[in-house]
Amino acid sequence: MMPVKGVTAKHPGDLSFSWRNVRTCFCLVFIASSLANFGLSLFKVLNNPISFNSVKPIIFRGSVLLVLIVALRLAQQWPTLMMYWHEVEQGLPQYPSQVGKGQMGHTIRMVMLVGMMLSFAEHLLSMISAIHYARYCNSTSDPIKNYFLRTNDEIFYVTSYSTALALWGKFQNVYSTFIWNYMDMFVMIVSIGLAAKFRQLNNDLRNFKGMHMAPSYWSERRIQYRNICVLCDKMDDAISLITMVSFSNNLYFICVQLLRSLNTMPSVAHAVYFYFSLIFLIGRTLAVSLYSASVHDESRLTLRYLRCVPKDSWCPEVKRFSEEVINDEVALSGMKFFHLTRKLVLSVAGTIVTYELVLIQFHEDNDLWDCNQSYYS
């Protein structure tokens, strides 16, 4: 979804983007495939009664399609962004040890590993639940055909069954599921990186906390702080649409899942999958919120060390530095509509509670295994 060449190289100068790259061609093919899948889902939903829950396939596939397009555009900007990131890093105070230098990379790898493994586990549970569902709604004597008919119902709503289309639908569903989870991981990774740069600067300020430092020291640190803020703005401009889609998606699906939790679970397999998916979704949303908020937290932490400057060392550079930290709103955002701070976590929680109270007023206990409507699209 982000076909950048040279991602395994040791220097960001080796990064590049090419329309002739095999991965770029695959990305374009998958975008076209996702567009077709989205069109089929849209056709099925519009030709049936529309409800808060029935539009779920449109939200899911539309979000994946949008993120794919944005990621392709981002891939063209990525080499330039990473070169600027590299230049900012080179100007920062050096890490005192190799352990500190590799900590950010280790955190990113662990977040990706845990996030993708949980996503894989969720998809496996989804498949097991779908197999039980297909066995319950056995329209044919072939269990494999039943499975594909139920899980790819938007395809076979407009055409007759074929193995090739069934495999295409499954391939599309697996890839879309991981991309849907990856967009949250991506926002977390960028947040970890930006927060680490502020932390790197703050660690240096902490080492000289309360000491008498020359004005040139504060001037240099202020410029470094400003460079990280500019980097944060550049990254925010590049990924803010992905951030917006991530948060709005999570908000919608948490509301849907909480509303469906009021229904009776038709089987143990379905209950295990449903509650694992709900907990994973809430946990992932909370992780995105907290990791994103850490950028703002680290940028504000600088002020704590500036307030410890001795009175006889106070100078115009320290005052200017303090005013910049106080007045600047340094945080990632969702298309500038909202900024990712710790206050946002409470706002999102309050919004979910409000929506749920409204939706519960119109809720009716539905059969989750209605054979006329698939819940695994």
Side-chain angles (χ1 to χ4, degrees):
M1 62 179 288
M2 264 187 73
V4 180
K5 295 172 67 177
V7 290
T8 57
K10 294 185 177 180
H11 193 275
D14 297 325
L15 294 173
S16 63
F17 174 84
S18 173
W19 288 104
R20 297 180 181 179
N21 186 13
V22 174
R23 289 178 57 219
T24 306
C25 295
F26 178 78
C27 182
L28 291 171
V29 169
F30 189 68
I31 287 174
S33 175
S34 298
L35 180 61
N37 200 230
F38 173 73
L40 291 169
S41 298
L42 184 63
F43 180 80
K44 181 179 183 296
V45 170
L46 293 179
N47 282 274
N48 286 280
I50 297 176
S51 66
F52 182 75
N53 188 64
S54 67
V55 297
K56 189 170 71 169
I58 296 179
I59 302 293
F60 173 70
R61 293 189 171 90
S63 300
V64 169
L65 178 61
L66 181 59
V67 168
L68 282 169
I69 296 170
V70 173
L72 180 60
R73 188 184 67 181
L74 181 59
Q76 301 171 56
Q77 306 170 8
W78 200 251
T80 305
L81 284 170
M82 290 301 101
M83 273 305 300
Y84 184 77
W85 190 307
H86 177 68
E87 291 170 6
V88 171
E89 276 188 328
Q90 294 300 103
L92 292 175
Q94 296 302 305
Y95 286 103
S97 66
Q98 288 298 115
V99 175
K101 192 174 182 180
Q103 189 174 6
M104 183 183 75
H106 176 72
T107 304
I108 288 173
R109 283 190 289 269
M110 289 306 298
V111 166
M112 277 300 301
L113 177 64
V114 173
M116 290 295 104
M117 289 301 293
L118 288 173
S119 177
F120 181 68
E122 181 193 29
H123 192 70
L124 282 181
L125 290 172
S126 171
M127 289 177 64
I128 294 170
S129 182
I131 289 169
H132 280 266
Y133 173 64
R135 187 184 300 171
Y136 177 78
C137 299
N138 52 346
S139 55
T140 70
S141 57
D142 186 352
I144 297 176
K145 184 177 179 180
N146 284 330
Y147 173 80
F148 285 124
L149 282 172
R150 295 301 171 187
T151 55
N152 299 319
D153 61 318
E154 78 284 352
I155 300 173
F156 304 120
Y157 183 78
V158 295
T159 185
S160 56
Y161 178 84
S162 74
T163 304
L165 285 175
L167 292 175
W168 169 65
K170 185 59 184 175
F171 169 84
Q172 183 74 35
N173 185 263
V174 171
Y175 263 71
S176 296
T177 300
F178 280 96
I179 288 171
W180 183 63
N181 286 283
Y182 177 72
M183 67 179 173
D184 286 346
M185 302 294 120
F186 183 72
V187 174
M188 280 191 263
I189 288 169
V190 172
S191 301
I192 290 168
L194 292 172
K197 297 304 103 184
F198 280 113
R199 193 177 300 115
Q200 186 176 343
L201 178 62
N202 288 334
N203 287 341
D204 182 78
L205 293 173
R206 184 182 59 194
N207 293 335
F208 298 99
K209 180 181 177 182
M211 296 184 183
H212 297 275
M213 306 301 294
S216 59
Y217 172 83
W218 297 112
S219 177
E220 184 182 358
R221 295 297 173 264
R222 185 186 62 79
I223 291 171
Q224 290 168 349
Y225 180 86
R226 176 53 43 203
N227 289 338
I228 302 173
C229 291
V230 173
L231 174 63
C232 189
D233 286 340
K234 286 179 179 290
M235 294 305 299
D236 183 48
D237 290 339
I239 72 164
S240 61
L241 183 55
I242 295 177
T243 307
M244 181 77 173
V245 173
S246 170
F247 270 83
S248 56
N249 244 282
N250 291 339
L251 182 63
Y252 169 77
F253 280 99
I254 286 174
C255 287
V256 169
Q257 294 291 75
L258 287 174
L259 191 65
R260 293 183 69 191
S261 67
L262 301 175
N263 295 327
T264 305
M265 297 296 147
S267 72
V268 175
H270 184 85
V272 171
Y273 159 65
F274 179 84
Y275 286 110
F276 179 87
S277 176
L278 177 59
I279 293 169
F280 177 46
L281 178 60
I282 293 173
R284 198 175 70 228
T285 304
L286 189 62
V288 174
S289 302
L290 293 178
Y291 273 119
S292 302
S294 67
V295 178
H296 179 261
D297 293 343
E298 289 292 337
S299 72
R300 301 294 295 178
L301 187 61
T302 306
L303 193 61
R304 178 185 298 177
Y305 304 118
L306 293 175
R307 285 172 174 165
C308 295
V309 175
K311 185 178 180 180
D312 52 351
S313 294
W314 190 265
C315 61
E317 277 299 328
V318 178
K319 181 182 179 183
R320 188 178 176 186
F321 195 175
S322 300
E323 287 175 349
E324 286 189 12
V325 176
I326 292 169
N327 296 323
D328 285 358
E329 181 73 25
V330 182
L332 294 177
S333 70
M335 297 293 289
K336 309 299 182 184
F337 287 109
F338 56 87
H339 288 89
L340 305 179
T341 64
R342 287 186 179 270
K343 293 179 182 178
L344 182 69
V345 179
L346 293 177
S347 299
V348 170
T351 303
I352 291 171
V353 171
T354 303
Y355 285 170
E356 284 301 311
L357 290 174
V358 173
L359 292 170
I360 286 172
Q361 306 299 318
F362 304 98
H363 176 71
E364 294 179 2
D365 194 9
N366 297 319
D367 183 6
L368 293 183
W369 276 9
D370 181 1
C371 294
N372 295 321
Q373 183 180 359
S374 174
Y375 287 88
Y376 298 93
S377 299

